[in-house]
Amino acid sequence: MTVYSGYIRMMEHEGTTPVRYRWSYANYQDEADKKRPGKSEAIESFSSEFLNDFLGKKLKLTSNGKIRCLDCGKPTKKSFNQGSCFECFSNKANNDLCIMRPETCHFHKGTCREPEWGKKYCFQEHTVYFANSSGLKVGITKEKPVSNRWVDQGARFGIPLLTVSSRREAGIIEHYLAGFLPDKTSWQKMIQGDPPEINLTKERDKFVRHLETKEFPMENEKGKTVLLNWNRTNIDSPQEIQYPILSYPKKVKSYKLSETDSIEDVLVGIKGQYLLFENGAINIRSYGGYHVVFEVK
């Protein structure tokens, strides 16, 4: 039997043909020393095996109900924004509204929650892309390679459109394109099978030509209006991503994990941040910070 016990971080991944996953979790020294838990630095660990090796085997996931904040490490009764305590949810820049809606970035107004964090994470090259996870969608990422973001979303194919110099600029263009097509993935469709075929190159070229006819004014830190600049990418063909999947779940069912509800089922696939079982699926990212015992029968 293989057992991993700790607080979930996420499923780390590498490669695209196929994607290979590892279980990522953390433990805390104060608990090991049997001290009163408080703000503490996480001791991060990874499974020694790839989760791909467990396909076709029965997995059991059990939680004792404990949750620790992914930002500061202190215990919390409730997880906010997939892994934060209320204090970090309220004060950390990575939990601000502009993370979900980057076009609302207010750094230029001098009101960023953590300006130094903003300079480091938001003011670097971002890519606007099209992906096919449950159908055509638009998204943005600073990930290098861009495929890291596509894997997290469970996309089967993806292609970059353009690059800009900040997250806010990427968000402005994404928000505009979201008026024509989705910016969200349907997890129900994503765990049912491959999405319908879409000519991403054709769609990319069509929308880039459209963007070339538009101007995107934005306010700078001096309160003046400037035009957003973007650069078209020179990648011609979509990238395909292959996931470790024996079959898809028989039911479109979201498994819930709690002190009273454990999960015990045969693992049939992994896609995005979802573990796919014979009779349902679970989004591991939504349980960030939860203490989970991962057992392979």
Side-chain angles (χ1 to χ4, degrees), residues 117-185:
W117 184 94
K119 289 178 184 179
K120 181 177 180 181
Y121 289 96
C122 299
F123 288 88
Q124 54 181 283
E125 184 179 87
H126 278 66
T127 300
V128 180
Y129 63 82
F130 280 169
N132 186 4
S133 47
S134 58
L136 180 64
K137 72 174 291 291
V138 61
I140 69 171
T141 186
K142 67 178 186 300
E143 293 277 358
K144 304 292 183 185
V146 180
S147 58
N148 285 342
R149 181 61 178 154
W150 297 337
V151 170
D152 268 346
Q153 295 182 333
R156 280 282 285 120
F157 298 90
I159 192 169
L161 273 72
L162 56 92
T163 59
V164 291
S165 58
S166 72
R167 180 176 176 82
R168 177 189 175 204
E169 292 169 324
I172 289 172
I173 295 180
E174 179 192 36
H175 181 68
Y176 176 77
L177 291 175
F180 302 93
L181 46 88
D183 60 353
K184 299 287 189 299
T185 295

Side-chain angles (χ1 to χ4, degrees), residues 41-52:
E41 188 172 339
I43 305 169
E44 297 192 11
S45 301
F46 303 90
S47 61
S48 55
E49 305 100 327
F50 287 110
L51 301 189
N52 307 43

Side-chain angles (χ1 to χ4, degrees), residues 108-294:
H108 61 289
K109 296 181 179 180
T111 54
C112 181
R113 290 179 176 182
E114 296 177 282
E116 292 305 313
W117 184 94
K119 289 178 184 179
K120 181 177 180 181
Y121 289 96
C122 299
F123 288 88
Q124 54 181 283
E125 184 179 87
H126 278 66
T127 300
V128 180
Y129 63 82
F130 280 169
N132 186 4
S133 47
S134 58
L136 180 64
K137 72 174 291 291
V138 61
I140 69 171
T141 186
K142 67 178 186 300
E143 293 277 358
K144 304 292 183 185
V146 180
S147 58
N148 285 342
R149 181 61 178 154
W150 297 337
V151 170
D152 268 346
Q153 295 182 333
R156 280 282 285 120
F157 298 90
I159 192 169
L161 273 72
L162 56 92
T163 59
V164 291
S165 58
S166 72
R167 180 176 176 82
R168 177 189 175 204
E169 292 169 324
I172 289 172
I173 295 180
E174 179 192 36
H175 181 68
Y176 176 77
L177 291 175
F180 302 93
L181 46 88
D183 60 353
K184 299 287 189 299
T185 295
S186 167
W187 70 266
Q188 295 93 337
K189 292 180 180 178
M190 190 264 288
I191 69 165
Q192 282 183 287
D194 277 352
E197 289 188 17
I198 295 173
N199 189 328
L200 288 184
T201 302
K202 181 179 178 181
E203 294 295 329
R204 186 271 310 271
D205 292 345
K206 177 178 69 176
F207 277 97
V208 167
R209 285 195 300 270
H210 175 72
L211 291 173
E212 289 173 339
T213 68
K214 299 295 179 181
E215 291 185 344
F216 298 94
M218 53 187 287
E219 184 182 279
N220 65 15
E221 64 278 2
K222 297 180 180 179
K224 295 183 178 181
T225 299
V226 296
L227 293 180
L228 186 157
N229 292 314
W230 55 271
N231 297 300
R232 178 174 179 163
T233 59
N234 57 5
I235 297 175
D236 293 325
S237 301
Q239 181 173 350
E240 180 180 2
I241 299 169
Q242 299 172 0
Y243 297 93
I245 297 173
L246 298 179
S247 61
Y248 284 94
K250 299 173 184 176
K251 304 175 183 177
V252 182
K253 174 184 176 181
S254 177
Y255 274 135
K256 304 299 181 184
L257 188 60
S258 68
E259 287 182 87
T260 56
D261 296 309
S262 61
I263 298 168
E264 191 165 3
D265 201 348
V266 175
L267 182 69
V268 294
I270 312 170
K271 194 175 188 183
Q273 285 293 317
Y274 281 80
L275 290 178
L276 309 182
F277 295 95
E278 284 188 340
N279 300 294
I282 181 172
N283 181 1
I284 295 301
R285 189 182 292 280
S286 66
Y287 288 92
Y290 281 67
H291 188 280
V292 172
V293 178
F294 176 104

